[in-house]
Amino acid sequence: MKKKTRRLSVIALLLSTAVFTACSAPISTNAISSKGSFNGKEIEAFADPIFAQEMKEYNVNGSNFVVVKDGKVLVNKGYGYADKEKKTLVDKNTVFQIASVSKTFTALAALQLVEQGKMDLDHDINAYLGGMKVPNETETPLTLRSMLSYTTGFDYPDKANFVAPEYVNQDIPMKKFMTEHMPTVVRTPGEAYTYDNFAFLLAGYAIENVSGIPFYKYMENHVFKPLGMNSTSARFTPELLDRMATHYGPDGKPHPTFGHAPTDGPQGSILSTGEDMAKYLTLFQQQGSVNGKQIISKETTKMMQTYSVFANESLPMTTVGGFEGYRNDLMNGYHVVLKGGNMPGHQSLIVLLPEENTAFYMSYNNDTMMSLDIYEALMDHYFPEKKAPETPKYLPLNASEATKYTGTYLNTRFYFLKSNFTYADGNLIMETGTSGTHTLRMINPLLFEDELGNKLAFKKDHKDQIEYFYYTNPNSPDFVSDARKVHTKPAFADVSEESAYKSYIDNLYSLDVISAKSGNHFEPQGTMTQGEFMDALILAHGWYGFPHLIEGNKELTKKGIPGFDRNAVITRQVAAVMIQNLKQAKQASEITLKGDTDAWAANSIIALVSQGIVDPDTKVNDDGTVDFRSKKPLLRQEAGALLDLAFGYYTLPIKH
């Protein structure tokens, strides 16, 4: 069995400013072929101890588990508690929020309308929006095909992704909400993969507009009822809420149910049960038909399970159907399509093996990544690797050829995630803040492998230039989206080539964190207000792609600062506290402050300085003493240095 790796909790990335990892203990299995032994009793005998172990390790109170093969339900059962306090057990009728698994249902509904000739996969989506227009800075129309395969090119794919308890009992229409939270297409559609919530929200609105009925009603009438999914809905109902599993955090404590804004969330609002999801899995194994009813055509069923977007020919990414191919290393050489879903307190996963006519499904009531461990155990037991992976042969890479790869790249969804590539000794060197430094050896001119065997694929744009990369490292959030090359902008006229601050200013300018003060002048010796610095800090921090985090982070930056005033000129000590409130750097060495510093700022300054987050004109003496000039106004060039050092990640290896 493959060695277990640490799993990154994506929900933690979405709902907090910290990155949490979970360590998985190896699960002992004896790999066997599914042929002749794939039956309900054997599956339960294998799965029961796996769920018991993993639920204990991940602090999961309750889970359901479904296995369907050849259109027959072999397992449909529950483990543990839907409500631990009330001792209510999970069973096949327990309701869970399936979150982003909803995207596959939305894709199915949209493709129904395509089959009916009411929409076209390759037509400009604006034609189906009833007058609402999607801003597009490219020369290529946005199409349904790009939307259903996560290749829209939106600048902020989570811009309209709002979840909170107060939305459970509200009715928020799609059109007004989407108009107020509309992203812009900034990359050529179809070119780069970015996990995209807005794309499926927009597809749901197109379904609503073209069909002439509300999205939730369309789903009820044309998808759920025909499938016999009588306990499934795209919005909350009293009856489903009454049967819903309690939501728990990873700490085991219950918390409220979260709803969506808008109320109908084609990107993630569906509620369902194990009983109903078994019927959905059967649909794919019976070529779009359930109980004699053809819900979608055989061709569409196949398309939804066939990869159309690749990072490299060996690295499938997405289908036109909302399914994905992340964690290619766990597929054991089989054709597998996946879809996971995360809501605060609920997690779901679908695994389809089309060529084996087999499917797994699970939902459980916390938002850890337990599902990937169970998926791996199931694959290794029933679908073990047919042959050992071949050791790749590496090609030489010279310095001249390496220049087309080198530079800084920014993830197209997680703007905090930056990576820098340089060349050394025949290899590429990748530096990134989430998983450290990696040596990449070239397998072919677009495919590289790191020291752990993780693949990294570079991708070309419509101009045939290397513009993106996709990295499969499971210990980094890179796998949720491509990263795009950052191109240097024209230099500021008033920042000299000899300035010690130039590289920091240029970096932040290229990342759109800071801009000119007037014309093409930066005014490096100018001052900033506390509000101006806060706005730049939020951008440098990199979490501004998630609107529900912005206001909270703004409030956090002000913590511990007496009399915060957006219009007041910012001092160096105020800037240090604001940075540290988001950075949370640990003190790495003994630092003694000289000069005048207020007590409320001292610890923040010491932590940052000890980590090397200090502007070029502030010198740390050999004995660890430093005059931070704490009460002096912060100059714009100093702000550039501090922000780039604090949040550039690759530029400053953090000391531990």
Side-chain angles (χ1 to χ4, degrees), residues 253-307:
K253 295 180 180 179
H255 63 72
T257 300
F258 279 56
H260 281 83
T263 300
D264 292 342
Q267 78 283 19
S269 70
I270 292 177
L271 300 80
S272 194
T273 64
E275 179 76 359
D276 278 6
M277 289 302 294
K279 297 170 183 175
Y280 184 55
L281 302 183
T282 301
L283 171 79
F284 293 99
Q285 295 179 8
Q286 296 184 162
Q287 301 184 64
S289 175
V290 173
N291 296 325
K293 299 177 183 178
Q294 199 71 39
I295 310 300
I296 50 174
S297 69
K298 296 178 181 179
E299 293 75 19
T300 296
T301 308
K302 182 178 180 180
M303 181 175 68
M304 288 186 70
Q305 300 175 86
T306 302
Y307 287 107

Side-chain angles (χ1 to χ4, degrees), residues 128-129 132 174-175 178 201-209 266:
Y128 309 120
L129 302 180
M132 184 169 68
M174 276 199 274
K175 185 174 183 179
M178 292 171 65
L201 176 57
L202 188 64
Y205 180 71
I207 291 167
E208 180 171 291
N209 186 65

Side-chain angles (χ1 to χ4, degrees), residues 8-10 12-20 158 408-419 431-435 475-478 480 511 513 537-546 549 553 582-583 644 646-650:
L8 190 71
S9 174
V10 177
L13 285 169
L14 298 182
L15 298 179
S16 77
T17 56
V19 176
F20 296 94
D158 299 286
T408 300
Y409 292 72
L410 182 68
N411 192 272
T412 55
R413 186 188 186 203
F414 292 149
Y415 294 139
F416 68 87
L417 181 56
K418 310 173 189 73
S419 301
E431 296 175 272
T432 183
T434 54
S435 59
N475 295 320
S476 169
D478 292 273
V480 302
L511 292 167
V513 172
L537 172 58
I538 293 296
L539 293 175
H541 182 230
W543 285 88
Y544 55 91
F546 299 92
L549 296 178
N553 283 336
L582 292 185
K583 183 67 176 176
D644 191 43
F647 300 106
Y649 291 113
Y650 65 86

Side-chain angles (χ1 to χ4, degrees), residues 237-267:
T237 67
E239 195 269 335
L240 293 181
L241 279 169
D242 187 58
R243 284 197 277 137
M244 182 179 288
T246 299
H247 298 68
Y248 295 91
D251 60 1
K253 295 180 180 179
H255 63 72
T257 300
F258 279 56
H260 281 83
T263 300
D264 292 342
Q267 78 283 19

